[in-house]
Amino acid sequence: PPAGASPGALSPFDRRLKRKQKNWAALQAEPAKCDYLREEVGGRIADRVFDITRTFPLALDVGSGRGYIAQHLTKETVEKLIQVDVAENALKNAVETEIPTVRVVADEEFLPFKEDTFDLVVSSLSRYSAIPSAVALLCALQIHHVLKPDGVFIGAMFGGDTLYELRCSLQLAELEREGGFSPHVSPFTAVADLGHLLARAGFNTLTVDTDEIQVNYPGLFEVMEDLQGKYILCMGESNCSWNRKPLLHRETMLAAAAIYREMYGNSDGSVPATFQIYYMIGWKYHESQAKPAPRGSATVSFGDLAKIEGLISRGKK
């Protein structure tokens, strides 16, 4: 941030820390053990790309990481791919695919490409997936800017209910033991805001749907260990808010573990951790796209629908 300016006034995140986190995560051993969530979501993104019956000459993967979407795509669907990530270590360790690929180190909020460049933009659980509306809008505007007219954006992001069991347990424990609480997981965008964000960025023909992936653990400490070593740090998604709290007291952790098991525990003694995923599809406007009929041009009223059953019955007789 500029000298004399409050960091939180410009961004809710320490962006330099975020880059360090993602670079550190990319160097961890046995990445397959901690990447299966991103690979699963990347495959579901690729399925949505395959649903569009066209070939994309040039595609962009924003926040590509090690190439979780690219490994599921084919050269018959995407002829050339550019992968962008803020962490150079992630790009160095990217999975090789059959698609000709160029890798670029860049911030997702400031894409270094000209307007109307790409036929397709994809993004799976990128950094902008866990940020407040103002910054999410900036990222969406960047993506819309680099898309060609009639180009499509297909993305996935963590939903607002992600890790709600963990967050609630930690908050209740901190309130009880310390008289207040601090965020320990980065905030997430609400689904109610997502459609508005994409529309404000200029996208049309929007589709937004949600899904949940639930993983069971022996207890809270195993959840925290797995998040530290796998989902959160290996995805570079650990909390980097300016107001983050660096440590949790032992008494608070023990209280949180008891609350977690009491409130959310399964009958077999395990506890669940829920990852909510939002999937979104948006198109950049082109005059060839289908348009809604003018207001008032309908020739059939919704009130006539009540008559259909009677017409069908008379037809059978």
Side-chain angles (χ1 to χ4, degrees):
S6 171
L10 299 178
S11 172
F13 292 106
D14 184 339
R15 295 168 66 187
R16 286 176 293 184
L17 176 60
K18 173 58 66 177
R19 183 174 183 177
K20 289 180 180 179
Q21 288 172 349
K22 296 192 75 172
N23 271 317
W24 179 90
L27 295 178
Q28 298 311 295
E30 299 181 298
K33 289 187 177 181
C34 57
D35 281 347
Y36 57 84
L37 180 64
R38 292 201 69 172
E39 289 176 356
E40 173 65 25
V41 175
R44 299 183 187 188
I45 293 282
D47 288 341
R48 287 164 168 78
V49 174
F50 294 141
D51 288 338
I52 302 174
T53 56
R54 66 169 66 174
T55 298
F56 300 97
L58 183 60
L60 172 67
D61 186 353
V62 179
S64 62
R66 297 177 54 252
Y68 307 102
I69 301 176
Q71 61 184 305
H72 299 284
L73 298 174
T74 64
K75 60 183 179 182
E76 288 76 22
T77 303
V78 175
E79 295 179 350
K80 185 176 181 180
L81 177 67
I82 295 181
Q83 295 178 325
V84 170
D85 200 282
V86 71
E88 57 270 22
N89 289 337
L91 295 176
K92 290 177 182 178
N93 296 319
V95 178
E96 295 297 332
T97 69
E98 63 181 25
I99 303 173
T101 303
V102 176
R103 299 181 177 95
V104 179
V105 178
D107 194 321
E108 296 97 320
E109 296 178 26
F110 304 98
L111 296 175
F113 305 107
K114 295 181 179 180
E115 186 178 6
D116 302 341
T117 300
F118 298 96
D119 306 279
L120 166 70
V121 177
V122 294
S123 182
S124 177
L125 306 182
S126 178
R127 181 164 65 89
Y128 79 92
S129 66
I131 51 183
S133 298
V135 188
L137 176 60
L138 174 60
C139 296
L141 286 168
Q142 289 283 306
I143 291 172
H144 185 272
H145 178 77
V146 301
L147 267 177
K148 291 181 179 178
D150 201 33
V152 60
F153 165 57
I154 303 177
M157 61 195 299
F158 285 119
D161 288 339
T162 295
L163 298 175
Y164 71 88
E165 305 98 337
L166 174 64
R167 288 185 287 161
C168 183
S169 300
L170 289 173
Q171 289 174 4
L172 290 175
E174 281 191 289
L175 282 171
E176 177 190 354
R177 298 304 172 99
E178 302 179 32
F181 66 87
S182 173
H184 297 280
V185 179
S186 294
F188 300 97
T189 301
V191 68
D193 297 329
L194 189 53
H196 298 300
L197 286 170
L198 294 173
R200 288 181 62 188
F203 291 100
N204 57 24
T205 319
L206 299 173
T207 302
V208 177
D209 61 284
T210 67
D211 194 7
E212 286 188 355
I213 300 175
Q214 190 174 88
V215 184
N216 293 321
Y217 298 88
L220 177 137
F221 292 103
E222 288 78 11
V223 175
M224 296 288 286
E225 181 181 2
D226 208 36
L227 293 176
Q228 288 288 328
K230 295 183 181 181
Y231 298 112
I232 302 302
L233 285 185
C234 282
M235 292 193 299
E237 291 295 341
S238 53
N239 187 20
C240 62
S241 302
W242 288 105
N243 63 340
R244 63 190 179 274
K245 186 177 180 179
L247 294 174
L248 281 169
H249 297 297
R250 181 175 181 273
E251 294 77 8
T252 302
M253 289 294 296
L254 291 172
I259 293 171
Y260 203 138
R261 191 175 300 279
E262 179 66 25
M263 293 182 63
Y264 305 107
N266 298 318
S267 58
D268 62 357
S270 64
V271 296
T274 300
F275 298 90
Q276 184 182 43
I277 311 296
Y278 298 155
Y279 297 93
M280 68 206 91
I281 301 177
W283 296 78
K284 188 169 182 177
Y285 174 78
H286 188 268
E287 59 183 10
S288 66
Q289 294 173 347
K291 301 177 180 62
R295 184 178 178 85
S297 63
T299 57
V300 179
S301 170
F302 278 111
D304 296 334
L305 295 176
K307 304 175 183 178
I308 292 179
E309 185 175 352
L311 294 173
I312 293 175
S313 298
R314 287 200 298 269
K316 290 181 178 178
K317 292 180 180 179

